[in-house]
Amino acid sequence: MNTGYSYTVIRVRPNEEPRIGVSIYPDGQARVRYFPATNTTHAFIDIDYGAAHVSIGTSSDAEITNEHITFARQLLDAATAFLADCERLHAEQQAAA
């Protein structure tokens, strides 16, 4: 069943920085891939769904800083919490079926 979708919003308001938001509500067509620094000059994660593509990574010429480590930990914590919620909701839906 194809129940996912994605969209992008670009918001431009006077006297404000433009904002771009990419929302992905995946189904089985979504792909997340990790490319380690051992294969390239930098590590990165790609998220693909439909026409939406998001890359998260270090730049190839940047020194890795504490800010990179902090960001990666925040990403891990958020992904771990997201996984736990998905597993819980899935279990609740299966039990109700």
Side-chain angles (χ1 to χ4, degrees), residues 2-85:
N2 186 354
T3 58
Y5 62 96
S6 64
Y7 62 89
T8 301
V9 174
I10 301 172
R11 185 178 77 191
V12 180
R13 292 186 175 167
N15 303 317
E16 291 184 14
E17 289 285 322
R19 304 267 312 167
I20 301 172
V22 177
S23 296
I24 299 173
Y25 300 91
D27 60 14
Q29 301 300 311
R31 296 289 173 256
V32 177
R33 295 174 296 169
Y34 172 65
F35 297 91
T38 56
N39 295 336
T40 64
T41 57
H42 62 287
F44 60 99
I45 295 169
D46 272 353
I47 302 169
D48 287 301
Y49 183 68
H53 177 88
V54 177
S55 287
I56 302 169
T58 59
S59 62
S60 59
D61 59 351
E63 177 183 341
I64 302 304
T65 64
N66 286 334
E67 287 80 13
H68 289 99
I69 303 300
T70 298
F71 175 81
R73 285 187 179 131
Q74 291 171 344
L75 183 62
L76 174 63
D77 291 346
T80 300
F82 181 71
L83 172 60
D85 272 344

